[in-house]
Amino acid sequence: MAPHRKIPLFLLPILLILLAGAVVLLVRGQPLTLERIFHRQGYAITGQTETALTLTLSRDQMPEGFPEEVPISQAEGELELLLYQDRDTSFYLTAFAQSNQDSDILHASIELRHQLSREGGELLLPYQVNEDGSITVGLGIDRESVRADGEARPEAVLLAGQSSSRFDLYIDRALFLRSDALSFQIGPFYYLTYEPS
């Protein structure tokens, strides 16, 4: 039977440093996600500032054939139109078609896409991130700001639903088709800044 050799004490700190380095490399090697940022896994949230946005849908910016004359359930993913871009976030109109419930209403789906960076950045989010990594949503349409061709139209746009990366709108079809542009203020959104910790 071979005798057991003890590790010299001067090697113990070196082994601990190597082990800590391996853990850091494993964490840094994982893909960067919003969840890692929200739960402060290798990142610190350095600020959240509330803001509201004004979005505009104009007939001139729509590709030929949109809004589609089919129900929204058949039109999902048929469109990819950049509506708004700010810092590391882009808003894309991904569907614009008849509502499944009412052909006089248009259903618009707007998807948020974030450019995440390991060096940190500033994201625009439709919710606030809490200390525990959960989110608080308060998104809504400012009815006073809904305008078509410069005239107030408070009932023309309604928030239909929202998830963490998209929101949906109901829009008065006849008003949109006879107007050059429809604009509205939506919020609150939050500018979230983050950096490696």
Side-chain angles (χ1 to χ4, degrees):
M1 181 186 270
H4 290 283
R5 293 188 178 163
K6 291 186 177 184
I7 297 174
L9 285 179
F10 73 89
L11 286 179
L12 190 57
I14 294 171
L15 288 173
L16 290 175
I17 290 170
L18 288 174
L19 183 61
V23 169
V24 167
L25 285 176
L26 283 173
V27 170
R28 295 250 184 236
Q30 294 176 350
L32 180 55
T33 63
L34 288 175
E35 289 74 26
R36 282 189 58 206
I37 295 168
F38 295 174
H39 291 284
R40 289 131 176 112
Q41 296 172 344
Y43 292 88
I45 293 174
T46 57
Q48 291 189 79
T49 307
E50 186 175 321
T51 189
L53 304 178
T54 299
L55 296 180
T56 300
L57 296 172
S58 70
R59 286 190 301 134
D60 289 345
Q61 75 188 119
M62 297 297 153
E64 188 175 328
F66 283 88
E68 286 190 277
E69 298 296 324
V70 298
I72 191 75
S73 57
Q74 296 173 25
E76 286 290 335
E78 294 294 318
L79 185 61
E80 187 157 320
L81 177 68
L82 180 64
L83 283 182
Y84 185 85
Q85 190 167 23
D86 194 353
R87 293 164 178 100
D88 299 328
T89 304
S90 301
F91 290 60
Y92 285 89
L93 182 65
T94 57
F96 198 33
Q98 287 181 60
S99 163
N100 288 332
Q101 290 82 22
D102 186 344
S103 61
D104 292 333
I105 302 292
L106 296 173
H107 186 148
S109 293
I110 299 175
E111 183 179 317
L112 281 70
R113 298 181 190 162
H114 307 289
Q115 186 69 34
L116 302 178
S117 170
R118 292 188 183 281
E119 288 76 44
E122 188 169 19
L123 306 173
L124 188 54
L125 302 170
Y127 44 79
Q128 186 172 25
V129 179
N130 303 315
E131 283 296 320
D132 64 357
S134 64
I135 61 174
T136 300
V137 178
L139 197 60
I141 303 287
D142 175 13
R143 297 217 180 268
E144 303 302 313
S145 71
V146 179
R147 306 193 70 70
D149 294 335
E151 292 183 32
R153 302 289 187 169
E155 299 303 317
V157 180
L158 299 171
L159 189 65
Q162 138 177 32
S163 70
S164 61
S165 62
R166 92 178 220 187
F167 57 92
D168 295 286
L169 305 170
Y170 287 141
I171 299 168
D172 182 292
R173 181 179 185 277
L175 179 64
F176 179 80
L177 292 177
R178 72 173 178 258
S179 304
D180 290 331
L182 184 66
S183 66
F184 53 94
Q185 192 174 74
I186 185 168
F189 284 87
Y190 295 87
Y191 287 112
L192 179 141
T193 53
Y194 67 98
E195 63 185 28
S197 58

